[in-house]
Each structure stands twice: as structure tokens, then as C-alpha cells.
Amino acid sequence: MGDNTATADLDVALEKHRTELTGYCYRMLGSSFEAEDAVQDTLVRAWRSYEKFEGRSSLRSWLYRIATNVCLDMLTAGSKRARPMDLTESTPLARAALSPRPENTWLEPMPDARVLPEVQDPAEAAVARESVRLAFMAALQQLPPKQRAVLILREVLAWKASEVAELLGTTVASVNSALQRARATLAERDGQGPAGAVSDPLDEEQQKLLERYVKAFEGYDMTALTALLHEDAIMTMPPFDLWLRGTADITGFMTTLGASCACSRLLPLQANGLPAFAHYKPDAEKGGFSPWAVQILEISEGRITGFHCFLDTERWFPLFGLPLHLEAESDEVEEGV
């Protein structure tokens, strides 16, 4: 009986750390599903070797050490995930072609609820949100794995250099050097930081912008949409490597290759610390609406600067807890998590 109670207590103690560990592994790996696999592996390893845990560090520090080793093992192949604009030049609409790349090429979206634990400190919450935004995640992917770990632990999680050194089995001088190199790499990248300032909760102006966006998109009103997009806005559509820049090419694409998205439905989500939507488009065969994309928006100075559509709905909609069909008469669907 005592053993069962102890096992249950350990399960609860480990489970308490799942969300923050998922956030850490997601920043390290750039993949939603690999992050969840890494956390599961971490918790299993911790459970199996708990008798060897001597309490010289906190349980949390010990779990981060295991998670770091799991992630570093997964990254040994040199894999780094990217956004379409990290790989190719933008394509003029006249040459637009939809060429998919393997799923392990792409930086993947992630529901906020899976990676952002509830914290009381607004500043801490803001740093956590900013550090899962697509632009920052893409910048992280440019760093060698150990530099990536150091930057996340020091800058995002606010660990001391001595704590990071102990976790990685290295010296404080080595940690400080790695952090300096990581910062330099990020500083060299255009748009390495969060794209624009997104409030949490959204401020009134941002909320109105999103309401106008939903109305323009669902009504497929290109004039209204153009007014909401920054003139240099970017549209991406993983798994396709095509990306478009500028209102003319984006709306031109939507009215030609993307014309079947007219009369779509958008349901609000929270993903990557940014406003997002589940995009359902009309289903001519079944009626109602079928999943088409998870859209993540980047906003700056009252305009939409990034419009990122993740099209692999068989993977993304279950991750976000979203239904795989909407009935035509349905006006309200509970938001997934």
C-alpha cells in the first residue's frame, strides 16, 4: 500500500512539471510532437531512476538536466527546423508553385496551453510568451544545440550561470562564453526577436484589428484585408516552401490558387504566444466546413505583418483539440486547448 502511495505521489510530483518542460523541449527542438515525446521520455527516465536521485539538487533542476540530455541526443543529427523565409527567397505570384518539403523541415506551431505554465509575475509571463513566438523560435534554431540550451536556461528561464554550468557539467566561464556567442548570432539575424508587440491580454486596438481581420477573411473582402496588412506583410504555408511578400501578391494568391477559401470560418486560438485561428473552408462534398489550416498572425503597429498558415491539419487540429468538421448551421464551437 505504501509503495502504491509513493508511486502515485511521484507521478503527481513529476506531472506538475510537464508544461514547463514541454516549453523547454519545444524551444530546443522546434517541433510540437518531438517536444512532447522528449518530455514523456524525460518523465519515464526520471521515474525509473528516481531511487538514484539523491536530492542534491531540486527535483525541477534534475528534470531539466534529464530533458536537456534527451534533447541534445535528439539534435545530434544537426537537424534544425525553419520557416519558409529561412530557406528560400520570396516568390513572385506569377511564379508561385506549391512544392512541399518533408515535415521535419518545418518549425511547428504549438498551443500556448501546452507550453506556457501559469505564472503570477507579468514580466515572467511576457518573456515566456515572447520566447515561443515564431521569429524567436526560428532564431533559436540557428544556434548549436548547447548554445541553444544555455540561451534558453539563462535568458528565458532566468537560471544563474552556476546552475546552468552544473546542469551541463561544464564551467561558469564556458556557460558565459556560450551565452555571448548565442547572443551575437541572434543579433546578426534580421527579425530575430518577437515580431511586434502583442499585448496579453490583447489591447483594445489589437482586438479590433483581429475582429476586422475575421470579418474581412470570412467575407473574402480583399480591399478590407489589404487595409489590415502591412505593405511588406509575409504569408507562409508550410509544408510548402512558397512564401509571399506584400499585399498585392498575398491577395492575388488568395483570389487565384487560394480561391476555394472564400466563405471560410475562423475560430480563435492561442498559439506561439500570438493570436491564431483555426481555419475551416467550405466542404463541397460533405457540406459544412473542413479543416484547412492553423493560422498564426504577427502584428506590429496596428497592422498584420505575418500571416502563417500551417496546412497539415490531420496533425494540427487534434493537437489543438479542434473538431475535424464543422456543421454549416453551427455558430459556436468551444475553443480547443
Side-chain angles (χ1 to χ4, degrees):
M1 187 74 178
D3 284 351
N4 289 341
T5 304
T7 298
D9 288 348
L10 177 58
D11 287 342
V12 169
L14 295 176
E15 196 62 33
K16 274 190 347 194
H17 297 279
R18 181 180 291 274
T19 303
E20 65 170 311
L21 288 171
T22 305
Y24 176 63
C25 294
Y26 176 60
R27 294 177 186 100
M28 285 291 290
L29 301 169
S31 162
S32 326
F33 296 104
E34 286 184 4
E36 298 207 326
D37 288 346
V39 172
Q40 198 56 36
D41 191 4
T42 297
L43 297 180
V44 168
R45 290 189 193 189
W47 199 88
R48 286 180 178 159
S49 58
Y50 186 70
E51 288 180 1
K52 298 175 191 166
F53 172 57
E54 296 167 356
R56 286 184 302 221
S57 64
S58 69
L59 177 63
R60 180 173 182 255
S61 298
W62 184 58
L63 289 171
Y64 269 94
R65 179 180 297 149
I66 298 170
T68 301
N69 289 332
V70 169
C71 289
L72 292 176
D73 287 346
M74 291 173 77
L75 289 166
T76 49
S79 56
K80 56 183 181 184
R81 289 169 178 267
R83 305 166 299 171
M85 57 274 206
D86 300 321
L87 302 178
T88 63
E89 296 297 315
S90 62
T91 310
L93 181 59
R95 296 209 310 271
L98 297 177
S99 308
R101 295 202 189 191
E103 66 184 38
N104 64 1
T105 307
W106 303 116
L107 184 62
E108 296 180 347
M110 181 64 114
D112 283 0
R114 289 181 182 250
V115 290
L116 299 179
E118 290 183 19
V119 292
Q120 300 304 316
D121 181 355
E124 194 180 325
V127 168
R129 272 197 322 281
E130 288 169 5
S131 67
V132 293
R133 289 185 182 156
L134 297 172
F136 187 77
M137 289 285 297
L140 281 178
Q141 295 292 301
Q142 300 304 310
L143 300 175
K146 283 203 173 169
Q147 282 185 32
R148 206 180 300 178
V150 168
L151 185 91
I152 296 165
L153 290 163
R154 292 282 285 119
E155 304 267 285
V156 178
L157 300 174
W159 285 39
K160 296 174 183 168
S162 57
E163 294 171 328
V164 178
E166 187 180 345
L167 181 144
L168 292 173
T170 186
T171 64
V172 168
S174 175
V175 166
N176 289 336
S177 173
L179 180 60
Q180 203 170 358
R181 292 197 303 276
R183 283 174 174 161
T185 301
L186 262 59
E188 286 167 13
R189 284 178 56 87
D190 289 333
Q192 92 284 2
V198 180
S199 307
D200 182 47
L202 296 174
D203 65 31
E204 190 178 351
E205 183 190 357
Q206 291 165 346
Q207 195 60 56
K208 284 182 176 170
L209 176 67
L210 293 182
E211 287 166 8
R212 288 162 62 205
Y213 169 73
V214 170
K215 186 176 178 184
F217 193 96
E218 291 187 344
Y220 233 55
D221 181 340
M222 295 302 132
T223 304
L225 195 60
T226 298
L228 305 178
L229 294 172
H230 189 277
E231 60 184 12
D232 286 328
I234 285 171
M235 179 182 185
T236 68
M237 292 162 280
F240 301 116
D241 57 15
L242 169 75
W243 64 280
L244 302 165
R245 184 193 293 276
T247 52
D249 277 0
I250 290 172
T251 57
F253 179 88
M254 289 175 66
T255 52
T256 54
L257 291 174
S260 63
C261 290
C263 304
S264 288
R265 291 278 309 277
L266 298 181
L267 303 181
L269 301 171
Q270 289 291 323
N272 290 84
L274 292 164
F277 295 94
H279 173 191
Y280 291 82
K281 73 175 188 176
D283 189 325
E285 291 180 12
K286 297 181 190 169
F289 301 86
S290 290
W292 185 247
V294 167
Q295 298 181 1
I296 298 180
L297 303 188
E298 292 169 322
I299 296 172
S300 183
E301 297 176 356
R303 294 286 183 92
I304 294 166
T305 56
F307 173 47
H308 305 290
C309 305
F310 294 88
L311 302 181
D312 191 354
T313 53
E314 287 186 7
R315 300 174 79 222
W316 305 133
F317 276 51
L319 181 73
F320 281 83
L322 291 161
L324 293 175
H325 188 76
L326 288 187
E327 296 302 330
E329 65 274 16
S330 171
D331 288 323
E332 296 292 334
V333 174
E334 288 294 319
E335 179 188 330
V337 291

